[in-house]
Each structure stands twice: as C-alpha cells, then as structure tokens.
Amino acid sequence: MELQVGWHRWDVTPKEAVEIQRELRSRVVLHPPPGLRVERIAGADVSTEKGRDTGYGGIVVLDVASLTPVAQAGSAVPLRFPYVPGLLSFRELPVVAEAWARLEVRPDVLIFDGHGIAHPRRLGIACHGGLLLGVPSIGCAKSLLVGKHGRLGEARGSTAPIIHKDEVVGMAVRTRKSVQPVYVSPGHLMDLPTAVEWVLRASPKYREPETTRHAHRMVNALRRADGEAAELG
C-alpha cells in the first residue's frame, strides 16, 4: 500500500503518539480540493472485542445518487496500540489502512466513525486517516470528545457550533427530527460547511449516515464470523 511521503511508524508509545499528532496537525488542509466532484462516498469503521487482540476493519463505498454500495473491503489486523482516549487513530488506522489497500473502487470522500478537528490536539482519526490515505475526509461521531454546543432545533438539518477553547471545531447536526444529533468536524481536505452538507446528504432516514451504517454492519459481521471460525477450529 502506498502511504503519503514521510509517513511515521506505528510502533510508538502514547507519549510519542501525542508528539506525532502535534506535528501532523500542521499538515491538515481545512478546505476541499478545487473542483471537488463527489460521485462516491464511503464509510470506515473498526470493530473490536474485549479480550481479543484483533481489529476488524471495513470500508464500504456508496454511489452518491442512490446511497447503495458499489464496493467494499475488509481486514483483520492485530492491535498493537492500547486504547487511549484521544489516540484512537494509532490503534485503529493500521486496520483501516489494510482495508483501504484492498479496496478496488476508491471514494471521493471518506467518512470516519469518529472525530476530525474536534479533538484536543485538532487531529482526530478523520484528520489522521485523511492524511494517511490522501483522501478528503470527515469525522462524524455519536458523542463529543471536546467542546460544547448550544441548543439546536428539533427539525432535521438543525445545527449548533461546537466550541472548544474559543474555537469552532465542529457542528452538532440533527440528522433526524427529535433524535440526538451527530457531531461533525472536518478531517483533511475538507471544511466544516462541506462536511455538514455531506453528512446530511448521506443520512436521509437515520441518525447515522448510510456510510457508517454499512461499514458498521460489515465489520461486526467480520468479527462474528472470525469468532465462530475460531470456536469451530
């Protein structure tokens, strides 16, 4: 798999990982590529199980017009980094990267089940992943990691800025009427308005985008199948 030039190693300590995040932050580009045309949009997710040292990753690519899958790829990779809040990408990105390497149809935009710049060091998994894979990326999370937001309307499409240390780092977005919002932030090669637009377009019926829903189902199926195979073996 081709990674971006000058990429870092993964066998690092949590302290080293924090320093890598601080260095990579300066490489994040918070605007889309000129003339970005989105025909395919994808979701990335990773499933793990307590007591097992394998991460099951998946990327599912959807046609933008129909939101139906056109390609997918999965992976099962040993987890080498501990679970540390704020350092999720060091645990999960090697798993996602393996699935990306197997993907035959590449998306124009990749949505991660996690945060972009709405992160203590402004480098969540969507930023880190976008840099690693060289793809416009969006973070869409189910809970806040940093910051607060004000009240937002009950209607679908209602939004409220997420503020952290006097900076707008994302948007609380109501994707379904009277349902808890999701928390959207740009990853790499992305800005906040465009990120919100694509999350809403990918979420016509449910709280989570179809990209995330498809990827989530895929990685859970991979994990269950591997567990059943291990039991039979």
Side-chain angles (χ1 to χ4, degrees):
M1 178 188 62
E2 282 189 30
L3 301 184
Q4 298 304 292
V5 174
W7 200 251
H8 65 78
R9 58 192 178 90
W10 294 105
D11 57 333
V12 295
T13 65
K15 183 177 180 180
E16 290 170 330
V18 168
E19 292 306 312
I20 289 169
Q21 285 183 330
R22 289 178 173 143
E23 190 276 326
L24 290 179
R25 173 64 188 91
S26 64
R27 303 190 195 181
V28 172
V29 176
L30 293 177
H31 57 78
L36 175 66
R37 292 183 58 189
V38 181
E39 297 179 353
R40 295 180 298 272
I41 191 165
D45 198 10
V46 173
S47 180
T48 61
E49 188 172 344
K50 189 174 181 180
R52 297 176 67 182
D53 62 355
T54 300
Y56 301 89
I59 299 173
V60 181
V61 182
L62 308 184
D63 170 73
V64 160
S66 62
L67 293 179
T68 56
V70 296
Q72 64 180 38
S75 63
V77 176
L79 297 169
R80 306 296 190 193
F81 195 86
Y83 174 77
V84 180
L87 297 176
L88 182 67
S89 60
F90 288 86
R91 182 173 173 85
E92 295 193 351
L93 272 185
V95 187
V96 173
E98 182 63 30
W100 179 267
R102 299 176 180 178
L103 195 63
E104 295 185 356
V105 177
R106 295 290 168 84
D108 302 302
V109 171
L110 182 57
I111 299 179
F112 283 85
D113 183 21
H115 292 283
I117 64 168
H119 178 275
R121 289 168 293 279
R122 305 297 184 259
L123 199 98
I125 191 169
C127 301
H128 203 163
L131 282 165
L132 171 67
L133 305 174
V135 63
S137 56
I138 297 169
C140 181
K142 295 181 287 293
S143 59
L144 284 171
L145 181 61
V146 297
K148 297 180 180 180
H149 65 84
R151 186 185 180 104
L152 67 163
E154 294 297 317
R156 167 180 154 79
S158 298
T159 61
I162 301 167
I163 309 295
H164 181 239
K165 295 184 176 179
D166 299 320
E167 181 183 356
V168 176
V169 295
M171 196 76 73
V173 180
R174 188 92 66 193
T175 51
R176 192 177 179 195
K177 182 180 178 181
S178 302
V179 170
Q180 286 293 313
V182 293
Y183 303 99
V184 178
S185 55
H188 176 54
L189 296 171
M190 184 59 54
D191 59 23
L192 184 55
T194 307
V196 170
E197 174 191 351
W198 282 110
V199 166
L200 282 169
R201 288 182 64 171
S203 311
K205 294 181 180 179
Y206 302 102
R207 181 190 180 205
E208 292 185 288
E210 289 300 303
T211 46
T212 301
R213 285 165 49 80
H214 279 283
H216 188 68
R217 284 197 295 267
M218 179 190 180
V219 296
N220 283 338
L222 285 173
R223 176 177 52 78
R224 287 193 297 268
D226 194 45
E228 290 168 3
E231 289 176 6
L232 290 173

